[in-house]
Amino acid sequence: MEASWRQVAGGRGRARGRATAAPSSGNGFHLRGAGGGREKGSVGAAAPGPSPGGAATAAAAGSSARRSLAGPAAPRTSVAGAELMSQRKFEEIKKANQAAAKKLVEEHFSSSSEEEGDDDLEGKQGKIVANTFVTYTTQTDGDIRELERTKQYLNEAFQAGAMTCLICIASVKRNQAVWSCSGCFCIFHMPCIQKWAKDSQFLVSSLTDDDFGKRDYPWPCPKCRFEYKRSDTPSRYYCYCGKVEDPPLDPWLVPHSCGQVCEREFKPPCGHKCLLLCHPGPCPPCPKMVTTTCYCKKAKPIPRRCSAKEWSCQQPCGRKLLCGQHKCESPCHAGSCPPCPRVSRQKCVCGKQVAERSCASPRWHCDKVCGKTLPCGNHTCEQVCHVGACGECPRSGKRFCPCQKSKFSLPCTEDVPTCGDSCDKLLECGVHRCSQRCHRGPCETCRQEVEKHCRCGKHTKRMPCHKPYLCETKCVKMRDCQKHQCKRKCCPGNCTPCDQNCGRTLGCRNHKCPSVCHRGSCYPCPETVDVKCNCGNTKVTVPCGRERTTRPPKCKEQCSRPPTCHHTSQEKHRCHFGSCPPCHQPCQKVLEKCGHLCPAPCHDQALIKQTGRHQPTGPWEQPSEPAFIQTALPCPPCQVPIPMQCFGKHEVSPLPCHTVGPYSCKRVCGRTLDCQNHICMKECHKVTETDACPGKNKAGPECLQCEEGCSKSRPVGCPHPCVLPCHPGECPPCVQMLRIKCHCKITTLYVECRKITTADVNEKNLLSCCKNQCPKELPCGHRCKEMCHPGDCPFNCNQKVKLRCPCKRIKKELQCNKVRESQISIECDTTCKEMKRKASEIKEAEAKAALEEEKRRQQAELEAFENRLKGHRKKNRKKDEVAVELTLWQKYKRYLLPVCAVSVLVLAWYVARGAD
């Protein structure tokens, strides 16, 4: 949404303009308009960009349009409103320009944020590439060193401008058709490599006119010289893995990649295929896991990477060496075992010398001549240390004369004589023969004169046969480079290849071709250039010629420039080009007023907007861009905290050094008043300390006066208030009477309050005692014999109690406490047991009699019931009744029981008396 001042104002004017916004290099858009004739149009407002005159022109056009719309009859109020609107729009434009200028200055003087952003981007790219190869290194025997080439190609593919075509020395872009060498994996533009292959084949085939264009000559890679057949000349654009023709441009894939699995065969071939997505550069080592054993086959098979399936168990090899005596002691290794390292004394072949030699080479020859007498007996063997027999004497048998025409049978002690015939051996010239007689030694040189042709065949001359004839005519044929003449004297026609340097300027435009003069295009410049950072510690190597367009690398070293402010060392930041960022170190200058060090950031080179410049008089005048100058600012007020005490001395607070002084902490004064019980409730205020009230806790004349009653706490147990007003010191003793209950809770006592509050525990017990016997009951059931006392009654009951045996016949009197402490009991004697036995017999007899009586009664009832069933009349019922005769016990039971009981008691009494 654009601001109101950006809207187009239409009106009738002298010219017609059409404005279009185009991006500029500044912080906004600048407008480009095309002027026309005197017709209606629209005037565009200029954005706050760097284009000069845009805002003024737009404002002037807008004002003129408004004046034409207003007309001459417009009232003055409308003119005033238009001026106010213009002024308001002018202020908006001014603020926008200031904001744009401020942003531009911040971007220009702060480079650390950009460097951090670039570092973050590089770090993210590095993490992505590293995560791609995690599976190659997380398991057994992952070797990250073999992945560096693949990583390098992937990094270059991701970075814009990193891949360079060595033929044209230009960047390889994402949307350009490319070709990758299968040997060095270098990437070239498709048109460049096609032209290179065509020129190379034409150059080789044109050397000989006979088979020009007929033979299938190879062409080399511009970088690694890997030769390709003529049929391998690229004609179509394929992805890296060769599956997709003309792969589409996808921003989420590696440039020139199809995004499918690579599936290229590994090198060296192992039977597996690459599992990465279509990628540049060589395939990484095979990541498959296979189970293999070590070189010596002693260890158990273990799972390992296919690329590192050959491994050593580090145990001794143990195979027998070539010497046939010792075993290999080297750790488990690949290939054949090394020679035996042991040393032994061995004889040479002839047996004349003995030396310490390696066990691996027992057969050796000394440097002495054999010297054995030959079978002829006249000569000795002249061979050096040999095996077997020396053989026959070389001078024995038939021998030829020096010219090899005659044979002689002579003893070995005589030399063969000359035969006297002509030598007739072929001389060195290869044409004539030796005319001397048979002789020993070499033949002489040929001295015959012949007419010789020179080497080039253009001239003839008579001269000795043994001398060569070379004319002075120089060859005018062109060498294979088709640039230089042969210029060799008397050239036979097979001109040597050109031995001059090519000297043509290479594509890098820095060097000349160092190769021997040749036809066709020169190979790319083999040199590399280091593009360095400002300090030179960080560099990136690029092909020669790319240093002009390659961005310098980001250096991680610290900037070593001297500081531009008063500090001895500048703030640590990375190496960079251009001016250093502003210093943010503490100023640390000594302030004049207080002597503290300035803690503010360094302000020796602060950016300040320049004032006093020409101000625009109206919205039609173009405002000048704000100018910022670097100048030293004075140190700000000292903010060092100084501990300062408030008026009432309640706290010590740190105050800024420039505002140090007495202050009120807004707390309650808190000084003790004259009553010594209350404090001053005023807000923290100044107190004048006098001799009468020294110290910070004593109230001064400015404090309040206490007007309250005594509020001191009373002694424990005193419920009466103090009768005096608020006073210092202790309250007087309380003389009022207190009504209390004794320990028994029966009698009411009256005691002075001060006696109760000042008495200790024993005295309070005495004051609460009513001097009567305690009415409480002991656990035994008797009354406590002690005087009125607090707490539980003591259990020392001395009252006599009667104790009987279980049958209640024997009786004794004992003290109550002894009976309860010792748990004394009286057991029954033999008399008691006898009485118990008799009583039990009587009970059994009674039970038996009762049982019999019950049986009789039941029998009678049964008979009566049977009679009723037989139907007897009522008058005869009396006959049916059975008379039941009572026993003696049933008749006299009620008289005998009391008599028996009395007799038992009398007997027990007599027994007890006898026992006492």
Side-chain angles (χ1 to χ4, degrees):
M1 189 70 183
E2 294 186 349
S4 58
W5 53 271
R6 289 182 180 267
Q7 304 298 329
V8 176
R12 186 181 300 276
R14 298 178 58 188
R16 182 171 70 95
R18 182 173 57 193
T20 57
S24 66
S25 59
N27 297 330
F29 295 91
H30 66 273
L31 302 178
R32 296 175 182 174
R38 301 189 180 191
E39 296 179 7
K40 293 183 180 179
S42 59
V43 181
S51 58
T57 305
S63 62
S64 63
R66 283 190 295 272
R67 283 196 297 271
S68 63
L69 287 173
R76 291 188 176 182
T77 55
S78 62
V79 175
E83 290 180 357
L84 291 175
M85 186 179 297
S86 301
Q87 186 65 27
R88 185 169 60 254
K89 291 182 178 180
F90 170 73
E91 293 296 333
E92 292 178 0
I93 296 173
K94 183 178 179 181
K95 290 180 181 179
N97 286 338
Q98 291 177 354
K102 185 176 181 181
K103 183 178 180 182
L104 178 62
V105 170
E106 289 178 354
E107 291 179 354
H108 177 69
F109 284 97
S110 63
S111 61
S112 60
S113 61
E114 294 180 1
E115 293 177 358
E116 291 176 359
D118 294 342
D119 292 344
D120 293 342
L121 182 60
E122 292 177 1
K124 291 179 180 178
Q125 290 180 354
K127 289 181 181 178
I128 293 173
V129 176
N131 290 335
T132 305
F133 297 99
V134 164
T135 56
Y136 287 86
T137 56
T138 53
Q139 298 183 14
T140 310
D141 300 322
D143 190 2
I144 196 172
R145 292 176 296 180
E146 298 187 13
L147 303 175
E148 291 303 324
R149 287 187 65 194
T150 309
K151 283 186 178 181
Q152 179 182 358
Y153 279 98
L154 282 178
N155 283 326
E156 290 179 356
F158 281 123
Q159 296 175 4
M163 290 193 297
T164 305
C165 177
L166 296 180
I167 299 176
C168 62
I169 314 298
S171 298
V172 177
K173 299 181 180 180
R174 292 173 175 263
N175 56 352
Q176 293 177 336
V178 296
W179 175 83
S180 176
C181 175
S182 60
C184 62
F185 303 97
C186 188
I187 297 176
F188 304 92
H189 291 122
M190 182 64 72
C192 295
I193 195 63
Q194 288 175 345
K195 185 177 182 301
W196 175 271
K198 183 178 179 181
D199 293 346
S200 300
Q201 291 172 357
F202 178 80
L203 173 62
V204 176
S205 62
S206 63
L207 292 178
T208 57
D209 296 335
D210 298 337
D211 56 355
F212 178 75
K214 297 179 181 179
R215 292 185 57 186
D216 187 8
Y217 291 102
W219 56 275
C221 169
K223 182 178 181 182
C224 64
R225 305 298 194 268
F226 183 79
E227 291 188 349
Y228 292 90
K229 297 180 181 179
R230 186 172 186 176
S231 58
D232 295 335
T233 304
S235 59
R236 295 182 180 180
Y237 168 42
Y238 287 94
C239 61
Y240 297 114
C241 64
K243 293 180 181 178
V244 179
E245 182 181 353
D246 294 329
L249 178 61
D250 191 343
W252 299 105
L253 294 177
V254 179
H256 318 292
S257 171
C258 63
Q260 302 180 22
V261 180
C262 178
E263 293 186 347
R264 285 185 286 182
E265 294 287 343
F266 286 111
K267 294 181 181 179
C270 62
H272 302 126
K273 295 182 179 180
C274 180
L275 301 178
L276 290 179
L277 299 183
C278 182
H279 62 89
C283 294
C286 181
K288 292 284 186 179
M289 300 298 293
V290 295
T291 303
T292 58
T293 184
C294 61
Y295 295 114
C296 64
K297 311 298 181 182
K298 293 181 180 179
K300 294 182 179 180
I302 61 174
R304 292 178 62 87
R305 294 277 186 182
C306 181
S307 58
K309 59 185 176 182
E310 296 182 353
W311 59 285
S312 171
C313 64
Q314 300 301 320
Q315 297 181 9
C317 176
R319 285 184 287 184
K320 187 165 285 189
L321 299 176
L322 296 177
C323 65
Q325 299 179 0
H326 307 107
K327 292 184 179 181
C328 179
E329 298 178 356
S330 300
C332 177
H333 59 86
S336 58
C337 297
C340 183
R342 299 193 180 186
V343 177
S344 60
R345 294 182 62 82
Q346 300 174 2
K347 292 183 178 181
C348 64
V349 173
C350 64
K352 291 184 178 181
Q353 290 188 354
V354 179
E356 288 188 354
R357 293 183 58 81
S358 174
C359 187
S361 57
R363 191 178 182 87
W364 63 287
H365 300 266
C366 64
D367 55 353
K368 292 185 177 181
V369 178
C370 178
K372 293 181 181 179
T373 304
L374 295 177
C376 65
N378 299 320
H379 302 93
T380 58
C381 180
E382 297 180 357
Q383 297 183 34
V384 177
C385 188
H386 62 89
V387 182
C390 296
E392 297 293 333
C393 180
R395 296 171 63 90
S396 62
K398 293 183 179 181
R399 289 179 286 171
F400 286 96
C401 65
C403 68
Q404 302 294 320
K405 291 182 180 180
S406 301
K407 280 186 178 182
F408 297 92
S409 296
L410 297 174
C412 63
T413 55
E414 296 181 9
D415 294 331
V416 178
T418 58
C419 64
D421 197 356
S422 60
C423 178
D424 205 24
K425 288 181 181 180
L426 193 64
L427 298 177
E428 292 179 356
C429 65
V431 179
H432 306 101
R433 295 184 178 272
C434 180
S435 58
Q436 294 183 357
R437 290 187 177 276
C438 180
H439 61 88
R440 291 183 177 88
C443 299
E444 295 182 352
T445 57
C446 183
R447 300 183 180 277
Q448 296 187 26
E449 285 192 1
V450 294
E451 189 171 345
K452 277 193 171 186
H453 289 273
C454 66
R455 191 167 54 183
C456 64
K458 294 181 179 180
H459 303 279
T460 57
K461 183 180 180 181
R462 290 193 63 85
M463 57 186 308
C465 182
H466 68 278
K467 291 183 179 180
Y469 175 42
L470 298 176
C471 67
E472 298 295 327
T473 304
K474 292 184 178 180
C475 182
V476 295
K477 286 184 179 181
M478 300 297 291
R479 294 190 178 182
D480 56 354
C481 64
Q482 299 298 319
K483 294 181 182 179
H484 306 102
Q485 292 181 344
C486 178
K487 292 185 179 180
R488 189 173 58 162
K489 292 182 178 180
C490 196
C491 179
N494 54 343
C495 301
T496 58
C498 185
D499 56 355
Q500 299 185 27
N501 289 335
C502 177
R504 284 187 291 181
T505 303
L506 298 176
C508 64
R509 299 184 181 180
N510 295 329
H511 305 95
K512 294 184 178 180
C513 181
S515 303
V516 178
C517 188
H518 58 87
R519 296 180 65 185
S521 302
C522 297
Y523 280 97
C525 181
E527 300 292 332
T528 57
V529 180
D530 293 338
V531 179
K532 299 183 180 180
C533 62
N534 189 36
C535 65
N537 292 331
T538 304
K539 61 182 180 180
V540 58
T541 303
V542 297
C544 183
R546 290 286 295 170
E547 68 276 4
R548 303 181 186 89
T549 58
T550 302
R551 185 179 179 183
K554 295 292 183 180
C555 180
K556 295 185 179 180
E557 299 293 332
Q558 301 295 332
C559 180
S560 58
R561 295 182 184 179
T564 56
C565 56
H566 67 278
H567 291 104
T568 56
S569 61
Q570 64 176 348
E571 196 173 9
K572 290 184 178 180
H573 60 279
R574 293 184 180 177
C575 172
H576 60 91
F577 291 94
S579 57
C580 292
C583 179
H584 296 287
Q585 299 182 70
C587 177
Q588 298 297 314
K589 287 184 179 179
V590 180
L591 301 177
E592 296 180 357
K593 294 183 179 180
C594 58
H596 294 122
L597 300 178
C598 178
C602 182
H603 44 80
D604 287 353
Q605 292 182 339
L607 288 175
I608 299 178
K609 185 178 179 181
Q610 190 174 5
T611 59
R613 303 185 69 187
H614 174 68
Q615 297 294 332
T617 57
W620 55 85
E621 186 175 347
Q622 178 185 4
S624 59
E625 295 182 0
F628 294 87
I629 58 174
Q630 288 185 345
T631 183
L633 295 178
C635 294
C638 182
Q639 299 292 333
V640 176
I642 303 296
M644 198 66 190
Q645 203 171 32
C646 64
F647 287 122
K649 300 181 180 179
H650 303 112
E651 64 178 18
V652 176
S653 298
L655 298 178
C657 183
H658 69 283
T659 61
V660 169
Y663 69 100
S664 173
C665 65
K666 306 300 179 182
R667 297 182 184 177
V668 177
C669 175
R671 289 178 176 262
T672 306
L673 300 179
D674 295 338
C675 65
Q676 302 295 323
N677 298 322
H678 300 91
I679 60 174
C680 179
M681 299 303 294
K682 276 187 177 182
E683 188 181 284
C684 179
H685 59 88
K686 186 176 181 181
V687 179
T688 304
E689 294 185 358
T690 60
D691 296 338
C693 56
K696 67 177 182 178
N697 293 328
K698 295 292 184 180
E702 295 86 357
C703 295
L704 297 174
Q705 299 295 327
C706 183
E707 297 178 354
E708 298 182 6
C710 181
S711 60
K712 291 183 179 180
S713 61
R714 305 297 293 164
V716 178
C718 179
H720 311 107
C722 181
V723 297
L724 298 179
C726 188
H727 61 87
E730 299 292 336
C731 296
C734 182
V735 294
Q736 297 189 37
M737 301 298 289
L738 279 178
R739 187 175 65 178
I740 61 175
K741 290 284 187 179
C742 68
H743 300 300
C744 307
K745 306 299 180 182
I746 297 175
T747 308
T748 301
L749 303 176
Y750 290 90
V751 187
E752 288 186 359
C753 182
R754 62 179 180 178
K755 291 182 179 180
I756 288 293
T757 57
T758 58
D760 56 5
V761 177
N762 295 330
E763 292 177 354
K764 285 184 179 180
N765 291 336
L766 292 175
L767 291 174
S768 301
C769 181
C770 63
K771 311 300 183 183
N772 296 326
Q773 183 182 356
C774 180
K776 299 178 183 178
E777 278 190 2
L778 296 176
C780 62
H782 303 116
R783 183 178 177 180
C784 180
K785 302 296 183 180
E786 298 292 331
M787 192 183 296
C788 179
H789 62 86
D792 297 332
C793 297
F795 188 66
N796 53 356
C797 182
N798 296 322
Q799 191 170 347
K800 295 287 185 175
V801 294
K802 293 180 180 180
L803 191 64
R804 294 176 181 273
C805 67
C807 66
K808 309 298 181 180
R809 189 182 67 82
I810 303 173
K811 178 179 67 174
K812 289 184 180 181
E813 289 187 356
L814 300 172
Q815 290 185 357
C816 182
N817 58 349
K818 292 183 179 180
V819 171
R820 294 185 66 84
E821 287 177 2
S822 59
Q823 297 295 328
I824 299 175
S825 63
I826 299 175
E827 300 295 334
C828 293
D829 56 2
T830 55
T831 305
C832 294
K833 294 179 180 179
E834 184 67 23
M835 292 177 68
K836 284 183 180 180
R837 185 182 62 78
K838 290 181 179 181
S840 62
E841 290 178 355
I842 293 173
K843 286 183 179 181
E844 289 178 358
E846 289 180 354
K848 188 176 180 180
L851 183 61
E852 291 178 356
E853 181 67 22
E854 181 67 21
K855 287 181 178 181
R856 290 192 194 97
R857 188 181 59 80
Q858 291 178 357
Q859 184 68 25
E861 289 180 356
L862 180 61
E863 291 177 355
F865 179 71
E866 290 177 352
N867 292 332
R868 283 196 300 271
L869 292 177
K870 291 179 179 180
H872 290 277
R873 296 179 178 270
K874 187 175 181 182
K875 59 182 179 180
N876 296 327
R877 288 182 182 176
K878 293 183 179 179
K879 296 180 182 180
D880 298 334
E881 292 180 0
V882 179
V884 179
E885 186 178 359
L886 298 176
T887 62
L888 293 176
W889 173 258
Q890 291 177 347
K891 292 179 179 181
Y892 305 106
K893 177 174 59 175
R894 58 181 179 176
Y895 305 110
L896 292 176
L897 285 177
V899 174
C900 293
V902 170
S903 60
V904 169
L905 290 175
V906 171
L907 181 63
W909 182 76
Y910 278 108
V911 172
R913 291 286 301 271
D916 294 340

